[in-house]
């Protein structure tokens, strides 16, 4: 079922890429910048996949490998103080480089966040839409 948006209905079709692992140096603390740590990035992108499915046509979908490369490039190519900044940069890069995407949800997980408590994970998840979508 399509969801309403300002520009009309959005495709309900999705591609999901789960937990792309990165070793990077994001965070507020000097130790994080020096030592680095693991991050996991997940993508949930919205696009119309009818043509790709009907015709079994790779050119009518979004390349999973290309999206993964974009995540790796942004995630290791610059340093962010916040998970929010990293997520925003990834979402912007994907919308700029993958023309078929109408919506992108980016989840950034930081399992070793320096919090004085026993936690499994800290995560930020954002959703962004292509302008006019």
């Amino acid at each position: 079922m399509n969801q309403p948006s300002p520009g009309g209905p959005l495709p309900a079709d999705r591609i999901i890429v789960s937990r792309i692992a990165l070793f990077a140096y994001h965070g507020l603390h000097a130790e994080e910048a020096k030592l680095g740590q693991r991050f996991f990035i997940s993508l949930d992108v919205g696009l119309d996949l009818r043509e790709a499915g009907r015709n079994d046509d790779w050119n009518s979908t979004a390349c999973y490998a290309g999206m993964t490369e974009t995540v790796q490039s942004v995630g290791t190519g610059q340093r962010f103080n916040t998970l929010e900044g990293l997520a925003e940069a990834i979402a912007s890069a994907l919308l700029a480089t993958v023309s078929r995407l109408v919506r992108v949800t980016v989840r950034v997980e930081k399992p070793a966040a320096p919090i004085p408590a026993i936690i499994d994970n800290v995560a930020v998840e954002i959703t962004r839409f292509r302008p006019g979508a």
Side-chain angles (χ1 to χ4, degrees):
M1 179 176 212
N2 291 339
Q3 298 178 8
S5 75
L10 293 174
D13 304 334
R14 300 162 52 196
I15 294 173
I16 299 166
V17 181
S18 298
R19 293 182 55 100
I20 303 162
L22 302 176
F23 190 87
Y25 299 86
H26 309 303
L28 285 176
H29 304 291
E31 296 82 13
E32 294 175 296
K34 182 179 177 184
L35 300 174
Q37 61 190 293
R38 284 180 304 150
F39 295 84
F40 295 101
I41 316 296
S42 296
L43 307 175
D44 181 337
V45 299
L47 67 163
D48 189 337
L49 294 172
R50 286 178 287 197
E51 184 180 337
R54 287 183 189 140
N55 300 319
D56 194 24
D57 181 12
W58 181 85
N59 292 307
S60 299
T61 188
C63 176
Y64 321 143
M67 290 190 294
T68 299
E69 288 174 13
T70 298
V71 167
Q72 291 172 323
S73 176
V74 172
T76 61
Q78 51 188 311
R79 186 177 182 287
F80 296 90
N81 289 324
T82 64
L83 300 180
E84 293 84 350
L86 174 57
E88 191 70 41
I90 290 169
S92 295
L94 288 168
L95 287 170
T97 60
V98 186
S99 63
R100 293 185 179 279
L101 300 186
V102 175
R103 176 198 51 79
V104 60
T105 297
V106 178
R107 179 181 179 94
V108 179
E109 298 175 58
K110 185 176 183 177
I115 296 173
I118 299 171
I119 62 166
D120 182 52
N121 192 31
V122 171
V124 167
E125 184 174 284
I126 65 166
T127 299
R128 299 295 178 261
F129 296 88
R130 180 171 303 288

